[in-house]
């Protein structure tokens, strides 16, 4: 798999986490990986005639949107396939799609179903551009035209910031108190713009924090990582890994097909 990242326009940096091209190369006809949840919504725009991917055993021939919020996704890319991948910051895809995010939790849907009528025109334009820099410019222009003037939910934004600072180790009750909302109100707002409840979101944040420790400190014990990541004990740590990856922490470290 060949991956290359591109510069994001200043107008989109608060909304878009990354933009990169992904091309499946090598000798094998298919390349399979397991991609772990990260609370983000991703857009994959196909610029080849090859089907874009097989995801959870379902074939997608054209561009897709992947709402990989709280569970892993098994992805196969076929040799010769290529796409431009746009990853939105948590809570920001809502400003482009204009639909409640909880409706699509942990699903992959056709791009056509989100932006009716835009798929063929955009895919054809991307296919006719000879380089990824040009494709990136076209996609960013498209996103700017889709961005609504609706303001971000400031109370949810505050909670996202606190979740990041605490690595997910903050109580939902405390977030509600600090925003002046009831827990029910806060949950409704999270489902609308994120697609997850506050508790679910904090759980994935804590899990992703532990992944960073696994990646950056390979000599650190799993017990230490569990403690630093805010887990009450190693049993909760292992349980979350089974939920979010389908494997134990040790298996995740050893596996070459798992992306994190």
């Amino acid at each position: 798999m060949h991956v290359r990242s591109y510069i994001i326009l200043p107008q989109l940096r608060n909304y878009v986490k990354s933009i990169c091209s992904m091309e499946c190369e090598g000798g094998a006809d298919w390349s399979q990986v397991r991609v772990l949840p990260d609370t983000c919504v991703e857009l994959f725009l196909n610029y080849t005639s090859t089907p874009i991917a097989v995801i959870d055993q379902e074939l997608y021939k054209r561009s897709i949107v992947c709402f990989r919020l709280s569970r892993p996704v098994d992805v196969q890319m076929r040799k010769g396939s290529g796409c431009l991948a746009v990853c939105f910051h948590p809570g920001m895809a809502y400003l482009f799609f204009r639909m409640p995010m909880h409706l699509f939790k942990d699903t992959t849907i056709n791009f056509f179903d989100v932006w009716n009528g835009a798929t063929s025109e955009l895919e054809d334009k991307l296919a006719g551009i000879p380089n990824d820099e040009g494709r990136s410019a076209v996609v960013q222009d498209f996103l700017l035209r889709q961005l609504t003037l609706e303001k971000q939910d400031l109370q949810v934004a505050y909670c996202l910031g606190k979740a990041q600072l605490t690595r997910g180790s903050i109580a939902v009750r405390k977030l509600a108190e600090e925003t002046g909302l009831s827990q029910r109100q806060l949950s409704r707002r999270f489902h609308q713009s994120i697609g997850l409840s506050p508790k679910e979101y904090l759980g994935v944040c804590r899990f992703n924090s532990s992944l960073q420790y696994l990646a950056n400190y390979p000599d650190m014990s799993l017990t230490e990582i569990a403690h630093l990541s805010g887990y009450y004990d190693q049993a909760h740590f292992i349980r979350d890994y089974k939920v979010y990856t389908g494997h134990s922490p040790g298996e995740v470290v050893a596996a070459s097909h798992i992306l994190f």
Side-chain angles (χ1 to χ4, degrees):
M1 179 80 67
H2 177 71
V3 179
R4 184 180 176 188
S5 299
Y6 298 94
I7 296 173
I8 300 170
L9 291 174
Q11 305 97 303
L12 287 172
R13 286 175 188 162
N14 289 334
Y15 310 100
V16 175
K17 185 177 181 180
S18 65
I19 297 178
C20 62
S21 61
M22 302 173 64
E23 295 183 352
C24 189
E25 302 169 335
D29 286 338
W30 293 92
S31 176
Q32 179 168 331
V33 293
R34 171 161 288 193
V35 188
L36 303 184
D38 61 1
T39 72
C40 292
V41 175
E42 291 176 288
L43 169 62
F44 296 92
L45 291 163
N46 193 3
Y47 54 75
T48 71
S49 58
T50 303
I52 193 165
V54 174
I55 299 179
D56 288 340
Q57 300 184 342
E58 183 172 349
L59 176 66
Y60 292 90
K61 295 183 177 181
R62 301 176 70 179
S63 300
I64 55 175
V65 186
C66 186
F67 296 81
R68 197 183 68 250
L69 303 179
S70 64
R71 70 172 180 85
V73 175
D74 289 323
V75 179
Q76 287 181 311
M77 287 189 69
R78 191 174 183 181
K79 183 178 179 181
S81 63
C83 66
L84 209 65
V86 179
C87 180
F88 296 93
H89 286 298
M92 295 302 172
Y94 173 67
L95 299 177
F96 295 85
F97 299 147
R98 308 169 194 149
M99 293 180 288
M101 292 292 101
H102 69 88
L103 297 177
F104 309 106
K105 175 186 174 183
D106 295 329
T107 62
T108 298
I109 63 175
N110 290 309
F111 177 57
F112 179 83
D113 295 332
V114 178
W115 284 302
N116 190 18
T119 306
S120 296
E121 179 184 350
L122 184 58
E123 285 181 337
D124 291 345
K125 186 178 290 186
L126 293 177
I129 298 173
N131 57 73
D132 288 328
E133 288 83 359
R135 295 187 188 107
S136 174
V138 167
V139 169
Q140 293 191 63
D141 178 67
F142 171 80
L143 291 175
L144 283 172
R145 285 186 278 111
Q146 305 306 313
L147 182 60
T148 68
L149 297 178
E150 182 178 347
K151 292 183 179 179
Q152 184 188 12
D153 189 317
L154 295 181
Q155 282 140 319
V156 170
Y158 174 84
C159 293
L160 297 182
K162 292 290 285 190
Q164 185 175 13
L165 285 174
T166 63
R167 298 178 180 269
S169 298
I170 185 171
V172 176
R173 173 187 51 79
K174 185 167 180 58
L175 289 177
E177 290 174 354
E178 292 184 2
T179 56
L181 298 172
S182 69
Q183 292 190 44
R184 178 174 294 183
Q185 289 173 319
L186 187 62
S187 180
R188 185 167 60 247
R189 298 229 192 143
F190 259 75
H191 277 105
Q192 179 81 5
S193 59
I194 309 295
L196 300 172
S197 70
K199 182 178 179 180
E200 289 173 319
Y201 182 82
L202 292 171
V204 181
C205 283
R206 185 169 55 246
F207 162 70
N208 276 282
S209 171
S210 71
L211 286 177
Q212 293 177 22
Y213 283 113
L214 279 178
N216 297 323
Y217 303 98
D219 295 328
M220 187 179 289
S221 72
L222 295 179
T223 301
E224 288 179 288
I225 290 176
H227 174 71
L228 291 171
S229 303
Y231 285 94
Y232 294 116
D233 53 44
Q234 196 162 354
H236 284 86
F237 178 59
I238 293 172
R239 182 200 63 193
D240 268 12
Y241 267 73
K242 290 290 187 179
V243 171
Y244 295 132
T245 75
H247 298 276
S248 69
E251 290 170 339
V252 171
V253 173
S256 59
H257 73 289
I258 297 178
L259 295 184
F260 64 92

